[in-house]
Protein backbone atom coordinates (compact mmCIF):
# COMPACT_ATOMS: atom_id res chain seq x y z
CA UNK A 1 0.00 0.00 0.00
CA UNK A 2 2.89 2.39 0.73
CA UNK A 3 4.29 1.72 -2.72
CA UNK A 4 0.96 2.79 -4.22
CA UNK A 5 1.00 6.01 -2.22
CA UNK A 6 4.53 6.80 -3.33
CA UNK A 7 3.64 6.06 -6.96
CA UNK A 8 0.48 8.13 -6.70
CA UNK A 9 2.42 11.03 -5.15
CA UNK A 10 4.99 10.80 -7.94
CA UNK A 11 2.25 10.91 -10.62
CA UNK A 12 0.64 13.91 -8.94
CA UNK A 13 3.96 15.72 -8.81
CA UNK A 14 4.58 15.07 -12.50
CA UNK A 15 1.03 16.00 -13.46
CA UNK A 16 1.04 19.29 -11.57
CA UNK A 17 4.42 20.26 -12.93
CA UNK A 18 6.01 20.23 -9.47
CA UNK A 19 9.71 19.75 -9.78
CA UNK A 20 12.10 19.40 -6.91
CA UNK A 21 14.84 22.02 -6.91
CA UNK A 22 18.13 20.51 -8.08
CA UNK A 23 20.76 20.24 -5.41
CA UNK A 24 23.20 23.14 -5.53
CA UNK A 25 26.24 22.28 -7.62
CA UNK A 26 29.23 21.50 -5.43
CA UNK A 27 32.50 23.13 -6.44
CA UNK A 28 35.15 21.00 -8.03
CA UNK A 29 38.23 20.81 -5.85
CA UNK A 30 41.76 20.38 -7.13
CA UNK A 31 44.93 19.19 -5.41
CA UNK A 32 47.59 21.80 -5.96
CA UNK A 33 51.28 21.68 -5.11
CA UNK A 34 52.51 25.15 -4.16
CA UNK A 35 56.24 25.79 -4.05
CA UNK A 36 57.09 28.61 -1.67
CA UNK A 37 59.88 31.11 -2.13
CA UNK A 38 63.20 29.63 -1.00
CA UNK A 39 65.71 31.38 1.25
CA UNK A 40 68.93 32.64 -0.29
CA UNK A 41 71.65 29.93 -0.42
CA UNK A 42 73.88 32.12 1.79
CA UNK A 43 71.34 31.76 4.61
CA UNK A 44 71.75 27.98 4.57
CA UNK A 45 75.47 27.65 3.78
CA UNK A 46 76.78 27.89 7.35
CA UNK A 47 74.08 25.66 8.90
CA UNK A 48 74.32 21.94 9.62
CA UNK A 49 71.57 19.60 8.46
CA UNK A 50 69.36 19.82 11.56
CA UNK A 51 69.63 23.61 11.68
CA UNK A 52 68.78 23.83 7.98
CA UNK A 53 65.73 21.58 8.50
CA UNK A 54 64.55 23.70 11.46
CA UNK A 55 65.00 26.92 9.48
CA UNK A 56 63.16 25.59 6.42
CA UNK A 57 60.35 24.12 8.53
CA UNK A 58 59.82 27.40 10.38
CA UNK A 59 59.97 29.36 7.13
CA UNK A 60 57.31 27.07 5.60
CA UNK A 61 55.02 27.58 8.61
CA UNK A 62 55.44 31.36 8.39
CA UNK A 63 54.80 31.41 4.65
CA UNK A 64 51.72 29.23 5.10
CA UNK A 65 50.38 31.76 7.61
CA UNK A 66 51.13 34.57 5.14
CA UNK A 67 49.34 32.66 2.37
CA UNK A 68 46.31 32.11 4.61
CA UNK A 69 46.21 35.85 5.41
CA UNK A 70 46.47 36.64 1.68
CA UNK A 71 43.63 34.20 0.89
CA UNK A 72 41.52 35.82 3.60
CA UNK A 73 42.27 39.36 2.34
CA UNK A 74 41.47 38.30 -1.24
CA UNK A 75 38.22 36.70 0.02
CA UNK A 76 39.28 33.31 -1.33
CA UNK A 77 39.52 31.44 1.98
CA UNK A 78 36.00 30.06 1.60
CA UNK A 79 37.15 28.27 -1.59
CA UNK A 80 40.02 26.42 0.12
CA UNK A 81 39.27 23.12 1.81
CA UNK A 82 42.70 22.44 3.30
CA UNK A 83 46.38 23.32 3.32
CA UNK A 84 49.05 20.80 4.34
CA UNK A 85 52.74 21.59 4.79
CA UNK A 86 55.70 19.64 3.50
CA UNK A 87 57.95 21.59 5.81
CA UNK A 88 61.58 20.94 4.91
CA UNK A 89 60.86 21.15 1.18
CA UNK A 90 59.04 24.48 1.31
CA UNK A 91 55.91 23.01 -0.28
CA UNK A 92 52.20 23.20 0.48
CA UNK A 93 49.50 20.81 -0.70
CA UNK A 94 46.35 22.87 -1.17
CA UNK A 95 42.84 21.60 -1.91
CA UNK A 96 40.93 24.43 -3.54
CA UNK A 97 38.64 25.50 -6.37
CA UNK A 98 39.97 26.14 -9.89
CA UNK A 99 39.46 29.89 -9.38
CA UNK A 100 41.84 29.87 -6.42
CA UNK A 101 44.39 27.94 -8.51
CA UNK A 102 44.33 30.77 -11.04
CA UNK A 103 44.93 33.35 -8.32
CA UNK A 104 47.59 31.51 -6.26
CA UNK A 105 50.45 32.65 -8.46
CA UNK A 106 49.66 36.24 -7.38
CA UNK A 107 50.30 35.45 -3.70
CA UNK A 108 53.50 37.10 -2.42
CA UNK A 109 55.06 33.90 -0.96
CA UNK A 110 54.35 31.60 -3.94
CA UNK A 111 57.11 30.62 -6.39
CA UNK A 112 55.20 28.06 -8.52
CA UNK A 113 51.80 26.35 -8.64
CA UNK A 114 51.11 22.89 -10.12
CA UNK A 115 47.77 21.09 -10.27
CA UNK A 116 48.36 17.46 -9.37
CA UNK A 117 44.80 16.12 -9.63
CA UNK A 118 41.20 16.36 -8.55
CA UNK A 119 40.58 16.27 -4.81
CA UNK A 120 36.85 15.78 -5.19
CA UNK A 121 34.17 16.59 -7.68
CA UNK A 122 31.33 16.45 -5.17
CA UNK A 123 32.68 17.51 -1.81
CA UNK A 124 30.00 17.93 0.87
CA UNK A 125 30.94 21.61 1.11
CA UNK A 126 33.98 23.78 1.13
CA UNK A 127 34.56 25.05 4.63
CA UNK A 128 36.66 28.15 5.32
CA UNK A 129 40.15 27.62 6.65
CA UNK A 130 40.46 27.51 10.40
CA UNK A 131 42.86 30.20 11.46
CA UNK A 132 45.27 29.00 14.09
Amino acid sequence: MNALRIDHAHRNAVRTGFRQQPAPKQPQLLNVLVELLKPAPEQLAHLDRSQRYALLAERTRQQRAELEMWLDAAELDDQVLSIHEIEALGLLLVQCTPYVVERLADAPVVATVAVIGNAATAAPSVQPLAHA
Side-chain angles (χ1 to χ4, degrees), residues 2-115:
N2 286 338
L4 292 175
R5 286 186 189 158
I6 292 169
D7 186 52
H8 180 68
H10 175 70
R11 273 188 269 136
N12 284 340
V14 171
R15 226 182 346 210
T16 61
F18 173 76
R19 295 282 186 251
Q20 200 172 17
Q21 292 290 341
K25 187 175 179 182
Q26 298 297 326
Q28 178 187 24
L29 296 176
L30 300 173
N31 285 323
V32 181
L33 193 60
V34 175
E35 180 183 15
L36 302 170
L37 296 174
K38 303 283 187 212
E42 306 83 55
Q43 286 182 290
L44 303 174
H46 68 282
L47 302 176
D48 66 29
R49 193 167 105 182
S50 65
Q51 292 171 325
R52 205 172 342 188
Y53 178 88
L55 177 88
L56 293 172
E58 181 57 31
R59 184 178 171 95
T60 300
R61 286 189 289 275
Q62 289 174 350
Q63 288 178 319
R64 175 190 175 161
E66 289 177 42
L67 180 62
E68 288 176 346
M69 288 188 295
W70 181 85
L71 289 164
D72 187 42
E75 297 182 357
L76 298 171
D77 57 330
D78 62 339
Q79 297 182 52
V80 177
L81 181 64
S82 65
I83 299 177
H84 300 282
E85 300 165 7
I86 306 173
E87 292 177 340
L89 299 178
L91 299 172
L92 299 175
L93 178 60
V94 180
Q95 290 182 323
C96 60
T97 63
Y99 180 69
V100 174
V101 174
E102 293 173 12
R103 299 280 315 275
L104 275 173
D106 299 333
V109 296
V110 173
T112 63
V113 177
V115 175

